[in-house]
Amino acid sequence: MLPGPTPGTPVPAAGGGFAVVDVETTGRSPWRHRVVEVAVVLLDERLRPEGEFCTLLDPAGPVGPTHVHRIAQADVEGAPRFREVAPRLLELLAGRVLVGHHVTCDHAFLDREFARIGVALPPVPLLCTMRLARAHLSEAGGFGLAACTEAAGLGRFPAHTALGDARATAGLLRHCLDAPSCPPDDWAAPLREAARVPWPRLGRARSDAAGAVVPQLRREPPYGLRPPGAQPPAAVPTGTGAMDSSA
């Protein structure tokens, strides 16, 4: 799997590279359901890790299929709304190729969440690791994320947690792009295109009139589960100018 970012690593400025994203949602429809957890793993043009971001989100309603994503209603108490983390997400995604496993699904949910706050996402280039695996990982017994990472020898990961899935997808991206069967232009062309895309900007959100930064609420490792009786994860600020580096 990808190594974690160095603690205290500054947030990379908007620029080239890849933004590997994953969302956990309250249902299947981007039009009717909401994002309840979002993660972004940043890689530079040479696929080296630059940092990561992850937070639970308050969907302003039921959290949906807890049996799938293991997020309970109590877990999102005190979590930010999407509109509060939207400025940060725009900064992280700007100038980068958007990567995901079945990336059109993640993109559709992000696109609708931004649309709800009046922000139109630009036509960002997408790179799908499911499609890459179909072309360059023929030994996979299936093309779900777990089957692909197993075939690539990347080891186990906490499936259906946004950060676990995003990290696994980043590892799968590196594996597929390193395959001899993968021509460089499969990923060099999207990088060039991403660098030309103009991105909107939003002022940084604050959580109260005193100017406190918006809290980030992140699930505990390794599998998004807490031992019986354990307290929920503490909220940490997202507006400090540094990537969250806890694993």
Side-chain angles (χ1 to χ4, degrees), residues 1-3 18-24 37-43 49 51-55 93 98-101 106 110 129 145 149 154 157-174 218-219:
M1 294 302 236
L2 285 170
F18 303 89
V20 186
V21 299
D22 187 80
V23 297
E24 298 299 320
E37 187 179 33
V38 59
V40 182
V41 172
L42 299 180
L43 305 175
E52 58 190 26
F53 171 89
C54 184
T55 186
L93 301 179
L98 194 68
V99 182
H101 200 73
D106 299 289
L110 290 174
T129 54
L145 184 56
T149 55
L154 298 176
F157 67 97
H160 298 298
T161 66
L163 186 56
D165 285 358
R167 286 174 171 172
T169 300
L172 183 60
L173 176 70
R174 296 177 71 179
R218 181 161 162 172
R219 282 201 271 183

Side-chain angles (χ1 to χ4, degrees), residues 27-247:
R28 293 176 179 267
S29 169
W31 295 89
R32 294 187 294 108
H33 300 120
R34 304 295 300 271
V35 174
V36 73
E37 187 179 33
V38 59
V40 182
V41 172
L42 299 180
L43 305 175
D44 69 11
E45 296 94 334
R46 297 175 63 185
L47 301 173
R48 296 173 299 195
E50 294 187 296
E52 58 190 26
F53 171 89
C54 184
T55 186
L56 292 165
L57 296 171
D58 180 356
V63 295
T66 298
H67 66 285
V68 175
H69 53 49
R70 301 191 300 275
I71 300 170
Q73 205 69 41
D75 293 330
V76 299
E77 293 179 4
R81 300 282 182 91
F82 184 86
R83 65 176 179 269
E84 295 177 297
V85 302
R88 191 76 195 97
L89 287 175
L90 288 175
E91 293 173 358
L92 296 175
L93 301 179
R96 295 176 183 267
V97 178
L98 194 68
V99 182
H101 200 73
H102 193 22
V103 69
T104 54
C105 179
D106 299 289
H107 177 263
F109 271 98
L110 290 174
D111 186 64
R112 286 305 306 155
E113 289 287 3
F114 278 110
R116 289 185 180 101
I117 61 172
V119 175
L121 287 187
V124 58
L126 307 178
L127 198 55
C128 182
T129 54
M130 181 181 290
R131 290 188 177 185
L132 286 171
R134 288 183 184 276
H136 308 296
L137 195 64
S138 59
E139 64 270 31
F143 294 100
L145 184 56
C148 290
T149 55
E150 181 179 359
L154 298 176
R156 297 177 64 239
F157 67 97
H160 298 298
T161 66
L163 186 56
D165 285 358
R167 286 174 171 172
T169 300
L172 183 60
L173 176 70
R174 296 177 71 179
H175 181 86
C176 289
L177 296 190
D178 282 344
S181 59
C182 185
D185 213 46
D186 276 9
W187 49 277
L191 284 172
R192 292 192 297 268
E193 182 184 348
R196 297 192 294 265
V197 174
W199 275 77
R201 288 284 188 267
L202 289 175
R204 190 66 62 87
R206 300 289 173 176
S207 62
D208 57 34
V213 295
V214 174
Q216 176 184 343
L217 195 64
R218 181 161 162 172
R219 282 201 271 183
E220 292 293 327
Y223 296 103
L225 300 174
R226 296 194 301 273
Q231 295 299 310
V236 296
T238 60
T240 59
M243 296 295 275
D244 183 359
S245 58
S246 58

